[in-house]
Amino acid sequence: MSRVFKLKSSDNETFEVEEAAALLSETIKSSSSTEITVPNVKAEILGKVVEWCNKHAESEDTKDQLIKEWDAEFVSVDQHVLFKLITAADYLQIKELVDQLTQRVGDMIKAKTLKTVEMTYPTFNVEREVQEELKSLGF
Amino acid sequence: MIDSFPEEISHDILSRLPIKCLIRCTSVSKPLLSIIKNSGFIRTHLRRRHETLLLLHSRCYRASMHEGTEEVYRLHCDNPAFDEYCRIDFQVDRMVDPINGRFRVAGICDGLVCLADDLISKALSYIIWNPTIRKAVMLPRPGFTFTTHGPFEDSIGFGFDAMTNDYKVVRLVTLENLVDEDAENPTVAEVYSLATGSWRSLGSVGLPCKIFCTRPHAFFNGNIHWVVHAVASFYFILAFDLDSESFRKILIPIGTELGFNSRVSVTGDGKYLALFTWYNDKNDISYLDIWVMKEYCQQESWTKMITLAPQGPEGSVRPKPFCFRKSGEVFLELREPYFYRRYQTLVSLDPVSQQMNNVDILDCECYSLDSYEESLVLLDVENAVSC
């Protein structure tokens, strides 16, 4: 009989999570209680993290093409949501989710800083427009 | 906002980026600059596997042949198409004029290139250079010089000491003016440390050996390796452990005698020490043997990967190996003897099938071709000059 964990968001919403999904989180794994409050993470974000865990618990083979596509869609969110997801996944210590999210942020920065036709290394004085673009990413 | 993340996360994100992106990020904000210049971050970035590249040092014809040639450094992707990744603008030779006309790529480690001005004359001038962030450190004059010790032959090696987190250049010097008791052990050594910025003598190597010429070394398993001549005219591989600073002898494959042109290397996957040896038989036909040492320091484990069949008419074409590729293939130059070839043939050899594919290097004479990975090393070194 697998246990059910209760995750509570900072705005007091509770999510019930099956053991297999919950134990993807190292924080939950090392917790003595099955009721965990996740501080600073609202329901909207916590719900998404739970959704990711459920999806990954049910699929054994993470190299499966379908799950890769699902993951790619999952991280295609706007940067504010992305940054909040990172905070949540980091608190809950879900390594693979953190990896996917940080890779996504990395790709976004690459897109804003790599020019398509560029055959020499830039010097340490960046162009104004790149500065503006990076600032818009929240730097 | 990126500075609101824990350090681990911002390091994680930034360590995934190639150098071109990180350079741009340094100008955006002070917090970003300080993350990227941080020594811990530089090592985190280095540990992550980035794209395998190749550093090509060559002499090329300018756009119009009538304009003569120019010396070029370029990075290429290590893929079948050998795509150009980036040109490198090298300005240090405007500050330091090499007496040999150009520097030689003497070694590469963690994105740092060790350059030496020793092609023919020994200028005793060395540079540690990171071409992607355009920073360089000029080494001070070494201890064993013509003025202090008389005529010599030397050979350098470059590697990383993981215990002290320090890059080191090791110089082997075979002295010619020796009194009797030293004649048995004519080779001495000294080491330069990037951390201290100075050379330190190691005294005698302790094993009877001689350097006859500058040969490429191999940095593998925390040790720098050179092919050296034993005083009794056989060869062996001299290994220097950067951590314990001790020398050791590694025997060459049983039953072989290395030709004058023998050199050590490392296989493309970084797992084994390799040995290239090319030689002519009594009919002056050139052969190339490639050996791999399956178990480090075990002479019996030397395994011959390939004996390259004679190339060209009457086997007169000399195959000169450059380096292994990540795929396990080997870059070779095929050079016809006795007359000046304007265009060399650069090929990629598959040692398993013996198949060779031409590599188009666009009318260039290739001086050296080595495996390369980008890094930020030297960004946190105060006295590194911009170039």
Side-chain angles (χ1 to χ4, degrees):
Chain A
M1 178 66 202
S2 83
R3 293 180 288 169
V4 171
F5 290 79
K6 292 194 169 130
L7 299 182
K8 196 157 142 190
S9 70
S10 60
D11 48 356
N12 285 319
E13 207 175 307
T14 306
F15 295 86
E16 290 200 349
V17 189
E18 295 275 334
E19 185 166 11
L23 294 184
L24 290 175
S25 153
E26 287 296 323
T27 308
I28 295 176
K29 225 178 184 175
S30 53
S31 159
S32 44
S33 158
T34 57
E35 290 191 16
I36 293 112
T37 306
V38 188
N40 299 327
V41 179
K42 295 219 168 107
E44 179 205 345
I45 299 296
L46 189 55
K48 282 192 78 72
V49 175
V50 169
E51 188 192 341
W52 188 94
C53 290
N54 286 334
K55 183 75 177 178
H56 278 252
E58 78 188 25
S59 309
E60 294 269 303
D61 183 11
T62 51
K63 288 200 164 70
D64 180 18
Q65 189 54 32
L66 285 175
I67 241 232
K68 276 188 163 167
E69 285 173 11
W70 189 92
D71 283 340
E73 276 244 17
F74 183 85
V75 298
S76 301
V77 289
D78 100 13
Q79 75 222 31
H80 300 289
V81 176
L82 199 56
F83 285 15
K84 288 183 185 146
L85 281 170
I86 291 178
T87 306
D90 181 48
Y91 178 86
L92 289 168
Q93 291 188 71
I94 306 169
K95 185 175 189 313
E96 206 197 314
L97 179 56
V98 172
D99 272 350
Q100 287 178 14
L101 294 166
T102 50
Q103 183 63 43
R104 170 76 185 148
V105 177
D107 291 342
M108 286 164 73
I109 300 176
K110 238 197 260 193
K112 292 199 188 256
T113 54
L114 258 188
K115 299 195 168 161
T116 44
V117 181
E118 167 182 47
M119 295 310 277
T120 53
Y121 282 95
T123 52
F124 284 86
N125 304 303
V126 92
E127 302 81 358
R128 178 119 224 113
E129 59 176 63
V130 179
Q131 271 193 31
E132 295 302 312
E133 292 213 62
L134 283 173
K135 287 211 155 89
S136 76
L137 260 185
F139 284 81
Chain B
M1 247 220 249
I2 200 152
D3 26 318
S4 66
F5 285 137
E7 185 179 273
E8 237 175 68
I9 299 281
S10 34
H11 279 211
D12 186 332
I13 295 171
L14 293 171
S15 72
R16 294 165 191 266
L17 302 179
I19 303 289
K20 286 175 188 171
C21 300
L22 289 173
I23 293 173
R24 294 212 160 87
C25 288
T26 56
S27 297
V28 172
S29 71
K30 284 205 161 67
L32 258 187
L33 173 64
S34 79
I35 294 175
I36 293 168
K37 276 185 98 162
N38 171 274
S39 306
F41 172 71
I42 291 173
R43 297 232 66 85
T44 304
H45 181 270
L46 189 57
R47 268 195 299 273
R48 210 179 262 285
R49 298 282 96 189
H50 292 96
E51 188 170 353
T52 315
L53 300 169
L54 295 155
L55 178 67
L56 173 67
H57 181 205
S58 59
R59 177 159 292 280
C60 299
Y61 280 95
R62 294 181 197 272
S64 151
M65 279 207 186
H66 304 294
E67 291 174 42
T69 62
E70 58 176 346
E71 188 188 339
V72 167
Y73 287 93
R74 270 199 316 253
L75 284 173
H76 284 261
C77 301
D78 189 1
N79 59 18
F82 198 64
D83 296 315
E84 189 179 318
Y85 178 80
C86 208
R87 274 194 295 275
I88 291 170
D89 190 15
F90 180 46
Q91 310 247 358
V92 170
D93 55 2
R94 291 177 207 183
M95 299 180 226
V96 177
D97 197 10
I99 65 171
N100 286 288
R102 64 169 176 92
F103 284 99
R104 172 180 73 90
V105 172
I108 296 184
C109 183
D110 290 351
L112 292 180
V113 180
C114 181
L115 297 169
D117 181 9
D118 62 2
L119 277 171
I120 299 165
S121 300
K122 306 286 184 181
L124 300 182
S125 170
Y126 307 100
I127 296 175
I128 293 176
W129 171 48
N130 185 332
T132 63
I133 59 169
R134 303 173 173 221
K135 296 272 180 201
V137 171
M138 242 83 64
L139 270 59
R141 208 163 156 74
F144 295 105
T145 69
F146 182 83
T147 324
T148 57
H149 288 80
F152 60 84
E153 260 304 334
D154 70 357
S155 197
I156 63 163
F158 181 51
F160 177 67
D161 178 354
M163 288 296 135
T164 56
N165 218 25
D166 189 14
Y167 292 92
K168 292 180 171 168
V169 176
V170 181
R171 183 169 172 251
L172 298 178
V173 183
T174 297
L175 300 170
E176 286 170 33
N177 287 352
L178 288 164
V179 291
D180 289 320
E181 59 262 22
D182 292 330
E184 292 281 293
N185 270 306
T187 302
V188 293
E190 54 184 337
V191 59
Y192 167 85
S193 139
L194 187 63
T196 66
S198 59
W199 290 95
R200 176 171 38 94
S201 171
L202 297 169
S204 168
V205 161
L207 292 165
C209 63
K210 280 186 179 182
I211 303 290
F212 275 145
C213 62
T214 299
R215 261 192 260 245
H217 64 277
F219 175 60
F220 173 75
N221 206 27
N223 282 253
I224 297 176
H225 303 80
W226 299 262
V227 169
V228 297
H229 297 227
V231 173
S233 92
F234 287 113
Y235 296 68
F236 63 87
I237 293 170
L238 185 65
F240 178 70
D241 185 318
L242 285 176
D243 175 32
S244 64
E245 294 200 338
S246 57
F247 286 96
R248 156 174 51 172
K249 192 179 197 173
I250 294 179
L251 298 171
I252 63 176
I254 299 167
T256 60
E257 252 188 61
L258 303 185
F260 192 71
N261 293 310
S262 299
R263 49 160 295 192
V264 277
S265 183
V266 181
T267 55
D269 53 12
K271 287 190 185 155
Y272 307 109
L273 190 64
L275 186 60
F276 293 122
T277 158
W278 61 113
Y279 50 91
N280 292 352
D281 68 7
K282 56 186 188 310
N283 298 316
D284 210 31
I285 294 177
S286 294
Y287 291 88
L288 170 70
D289 284 350
I290 304 179
W291 296 83
V292 165
M293 193 177 222
K294 290 289 185 178
E295 276 179 58
Y296 188 59
C297 294
Q298 303 298 324
Q299 187 189 23
E300 324 77 60
S301 75
W302 279 113
T303 308
K304 192 188 286 191
M305 208 183 221
I306 183 177
T307 292
L308 184 66
Q311 302 291 315
E314 294 156 35
S316 58
V317 169
R318 309 266 187 261
K320 176 181 162 189
F322 280 121
C323 66
F324 278 86
R325 308 180 73 158
K326 194 116 190 131
S327 61
E329 290 183 13
V330 178
F331 278 119
L332 298 180
E333 170 199 296
L334 298 179
R335 188 178 272 269
E336 284 180 33
Y338 310 133
F339 51 85
Y340 172 69
R341 264 186 69 96
R342 185 164 293 170
Y343 312 110
Q344 327 158 312
T345 311
L346 179 68
V347 298
S348 181
L349 164 74
D350 179 343
V352 172
S353 66
Q354 288 230 15
Q355 202 181 335
M356 293 197 284
N357 290 312
N358 268 16
V359 179
D360 182 11
I361 50 169
L362 316 162
D363 289 355
C364 294
E365 183 194 345
C366 179
Y367 294 141
S368 69
L369 184 56
D370 296 283
S371 194
Y372 185 84
E373 258 188 62
E374 293 183 325
S375 81
L376 294 164
V377 184
L378 283 196
L379 191 55
D380 56 346
V381 171
E382 286 307 312
N383 60 332
V385 298
S386 292
C387 59

